Amino acid sequence: MTPLLSVRALRKSYGALRVTDDVSLDVAAGELHAVIGPNGAGKTTLIHQLSGSLRSDSGTVHLAGEDITALPMVARVRRGLARSFQITSILDGFSVLENVALAVQARSGSSFRFFRPAATETRLNAEAMDALGRVGLADRAARRAGSLSHGEKRQLELAVALATKARLLLLDEPLAGTGPEESAILVGLMRELKSTHTIVLIEHDMEAVFALADRMSVLVYGRVIASGAPAAVRSDPAVRAAYLGEEEAA
Amino acid sequence: MSTLVARMAAAPPRRRAILPGAALAGLALAALAALPVAADAAGLPFLVVIATRMMIFGLAALSLDLVLGYGAMVSFGHAAFIGLGAYAVGILDAHGIRDLAVQAPVAALVCALFALVTGAISLRTRGVYFIMITLAFGQMAYFFMVSLAAYGGDDGLPLAGRSTLFGMRLIEGDPALFYAVLAVLAVALLGLRRVVASRFGRVLRGSRDNAVRMQAIGVSPLPYRLTAYVIAGAIAGLAGVLLANQAEFVSPAYMSWQRSGELIVMVVLGGMGTLIGPVMGAAALIALEEVLAHYSDHWRLGLGLMLVAVVLLSRGGLAGLAAKLGRRA
């Protein structure tokens, strides 16, 4: 069976610095694949390359067998690849519901409609409410998005990604900057999303990664030094030397 | 049940506080409609002329607000559309075509086309570069008209008379023109209010706030920004049609970069992204011009001070100030 996401020999350099160096990985449909690595390992660059906001120097990216290497972000989203941002990126001035309804609108029907008030489109709002319900923000729907707590904003990001009806979610450090309680909510949420979505999770929080991942890849200086089931990766000597050991020592 | 909740949740939460109710709008409209009669009774017919001018520039500022306030595109060449609209009237008039049924569509079409071409190029840039490139296109249009000797060049072009509508001389008198302008402004204001709340407007506002977010949900902002630019250009062109008719004269001065700057001042003074604000801003600016110019040739100094005060004291401009006062009352 073709993997949902297949990355082959992906490279990206800034001058002499190889930020992504010959990265290959496969993500099967239905699995949660975590990408971990120390700071500066090139995780966010990889997400940018996968989501299409950054062009790769060489290598290929296939989504469900289709070569999407040359496609810009907008076209990749339309093929079912959605991302969340490490630094929260929502529309602060919009209501929580409108943030999500906009994502629903983007994939259902033309947005070149000029007269009907979008806020009264019950179908958009109903689908948006579904997504908000899944991330546990239904009771916040009418609030201004900018007034949400940090953790709630991260939940809203997930709701927006869900609303795009993505097949594959690229989550860029969804736990960044969250406290322990918010973290627990988000981890529970991702466990729930796992049942319906294929996920590539970039995350710093090791506890969360080992709790969630079906498979994982370890990125160090732009290279994948190990890939496989969490237990195997955890005991890999190269990984222990490069990364986990450093954590334990800290 | 859930759809009802969704409906309520989706209503923009602060709308009701900022915008006066339908009653207030109706009251304002009634007061305006009574103005020509009142001015005539008071022996101050020039008030009608000034009010007409306010509304014409209000229409232009309103259109700029779609671009500037809702699209975050600081266009510094918006007066070019007023000028092109005015010249559409002037040039057609010079060839004996005096009916609005032809002039207005031609003006709107020419402006839409100019906006489409210049916008497609300008919108590849953002920020200061966008300001510069729209300024450059505006100046190109200006100098083109200056050099167009066949239609008056620098001296401008007098009209044979005011336009007709379907052969009828409907806007011959100043009060009649006043009502015509009021009607156009009211329709444009109501129309754009719907546009900014529509799906299109939502994408435009979202792109203003966070373009990367829009791409991440699969929407490329460019076509929407360009469409807004074209709509705004066409509406400003209609303002030009009205301006030409009021003055019975068209001149390259309508499209100078100072005019474009004044339009931006009107929008900022009135309150960006409020639609009604820029109309108020236009009225305020022209009123100040009329009043202050009485006292001193250096009236712009006073205007500058007032502008600084409004921008510092109320970020939301006059519309924001009005809302604040309304809430206190």
Side-chain angles (χ1 to χ4, degrees):
Chain A
M1 200 183 127
T2 27
L4 183 58
L5 180 74
S6 178
V7 180
R8 284 289 167 276
L10 210 60
R11 289 176 200 274
K12 180 77 197 176
S13 299
Y14 293 112
L17 184 68
R18 288 182 185 170
V19 187
T20 304
D21 189 3
D22 195 22
V23 167
S24 297
L25 52 90
D26 286 323
V27 180
E31 81 174 10
L32 187 148
H33 192 114
V35 177
I36 64 169
N39 276 327
K43 302 187 296 290
T44 292
T45 301
L46 181 61
I47 279 269
H48 284 319
Q49 284 173 277
L50 296 182
S51 67
S53 60
L54 190 67
R55 284 192 82 89
S56 302
D57 296 338
S58 64
T60 59
V61 181
H62 284 77
L63 183 70
E66 185 192 2
D67 188 348
I68 59 167
T69 314
L71 295 182
M73 194 198 302
V74 166
R76 293 185 194 201
V77 175
R78 292 186 175 273
R79 281 165 178 74
L81 190 156
R83 69 169 292 183
S84 73
F85 291 86
Q86 183 179 353
I87 295 160
T88 309
S89 179
I90 55 173
L91 301 168
D92 280 342
F94 280 38
S95 74
V96 169
L97 181 71
E98 204 178 10
N99 263 280
V100 187
L102 182 52
V104 178
Q105 172 187 325
R107 63 163 166 77
S108 60
S110 168
S111 284
F112 280 105
R113 293 190 197 158
F114 295 90
F115 286 104
R116 187 170 163 200
T120 61
E121 287 197 44
T122 43
R123 202 180 48 77
L124 294 187
N125 291 340
E127 286 192 43
M129 284 305 290
D130 279 349
L132 284 175
R134 280 200 71 182
V135 304
L137 280 183
D139 58 337
R140 294 279 189 273
R143 289 268 295 272
R144 209 177 77 91
S147 73
L148 294 180
S149 73
H150 180 72
E152 287 171 335
K153 285 181 180 172
R154 311 248 54 160
Q155 287 165 259
L156 176 56
E157 281 238 3
L158 289 178
V160 171
L162 282 180
T164 63
K165 279 269 154 63
R167 289 184 284 177
L168 177 67
L169 298 177
L170 301 175
L171 306 181
D172 188 4
E173 300 204 19
L175 303 181
T178 56
E181 278 173 39
E182 293 172 329
S183 253
I185 292 175
L186 285 162
V187 168
L189 190 54
M190 283 188 275
R191 185 171 287 125
E192 224 263 315
L193 291 186
K194 253 180 77 168
S195 61
T196 49
H197 286 75
T198 309
I199 299 174
V200 173
L201 171 68
I202 300 235
E203 189 45 68
H204 237 81
D205 184 327
M206 283 304 119
E207 209 179 316
V209 167
F210 281 107
L212 290 168
D214 299 309
R215 279 164 22 94
M216 59 201 296
S217 298
V218 183
L219 208 59
V220 177
Y221 295 122
R223 297 187 72 92
V224 175
I225 61 165
S227 200
V233 168
R234 195 199 283 265
S235 59
D236 188 296
V239 174
R240 295 192 77 85
Y243 189 59
L244 296 173
E246 174 195 304
E247 285 272 310
E248 278 162 18
Chain B
M1 176 67 195
S2 75
T3 53
L4 181 69
V5 170
R7 229 180 236 258
M8 283 163 55
R14 290 169 306 154
R15 260 288 134 83
R16 251 160 271 151
I18 286 183
L19 284 177
L24 205 55
L27 212 64
L29 201 65
L32 274 173
L35 181 83
V37 181
D40 189 49
L44 302 166
F46 68 94
L47 280 182
V48 175
V49 177
I50 294 173
T52 305
R53 190 176 162 77
M54 286 174 172
M55 292 193 295
I56 292 173
F57 280 98
L59 181 64
L62 172 68
S63 71
L64 180 59
D65 195 29
L66 183 67
V67 170
L68 204 165
Y70 290 91
M73 300 172 267
V74 184
S75 169
F76 204 166
H78 208 61
F81 299 109
I82 300 182
L84 288 174
Y87 268 98
V89 172
I91 292 173
L92 286 172
D93 180 271
H95 293 281
I97 300 169
R98 307 223 161 87
D99 205 282
L100 281 173
V102 179
Q103 288 175 341
V106 167
L109 214 65
V110 166
C111 289
L113 212 63
F114 185 70
L116 185 67
V117 174
T118 60
I121 298 167
S122 312
L123 285 169
R124 291 165 184 274
T125 65
R126 300 290 295 155
V128 175
Y129 299 101
F130 181 79
I131 297 176
M132 286 297 124
I133 200 164
T134 49
L135 173 66
F137 280 125
Q139 287 301 91
M140 277 166 63
Y142 170 76
F143 284 114
F144 179 75
M145 288 310 172
V146 165
S147 62
L148 204 62
Y151 297 104
D154 211 5
D155 296 331
L157 178 65
L159 304 190
R162 283 191 180 160
S163 306
T164 55
L165 183 61
F166 301 116
M168 293 174 286
R169 312 178 87 185
L170 284 180
I171 54 172
E172 210 60 24
D174 285 336
L177 180 66
F178 172 93
Y179 287 118
V181 173
L182 178 60
V184 173
L185 178 63
V187 168
L189 186 59
L190 292 178
L192 284 183
R193 272 190 67 178
R194 293 205 70 133
V195 167
V196 298
S198 71
R199 278 183 167 222
F200 171 80
R202 184 187 255 174
V203 170
L204 190 65
R205 286 180 284 126
S207 306
R208 165 192 67 190
D209 293 352
N210 190 338
V212 176
R213 162 49 69 203
M214 297 308 289
Q215 287 169 355
I217 58 169
V219 174
S220 168
L222 182 66
Y224 300 93
R225 287 183 174 144
L226 185 56
T227 304
Y229 196 69
V230 169
I231 293 172
I235 294 176
L238 292 179
V241 169
L242 298 170
L243 188 64
N245 269 289
Q246 186 179 34
E248 297 184 40
F249 181 72
V250 299
S251 154
Y254 293 171
M255 54 212 305
S256 71
W257 66 271
Q258 289 95 330
R259 286 274 168 215
S260 294
E262 277 173 23
L263 287 174
I264 295 178
V265 170
M266 289 168 182
V267 173
V268 175
L269 180 70
M272 286 183 285
T274 59
L275 295 183
I276 187 71
V279 177
M280 292 158 64
L285 195 74
I286 290 170
L288 281 173
E289 191 178 306
E290 293 289 334
V291 173
L292 293 177
H294 262 295
Y295 295 104
S296 163
D297 288 340
H298 306 293
W299 63 274
R300 279 175 202 277
L301 187 64
L303 174 69
L305 288 174
M306 285 194 188
L307 189 63
V308 169
V310 168
V311 171
L312 282 183
L313 294 178
S314 168
R315 284 287 157 76
L318 295 175
L321 210 62
K324 231 183 258 174
L325 293 176
R327 248 172 273 145
R328 204 165 295 166

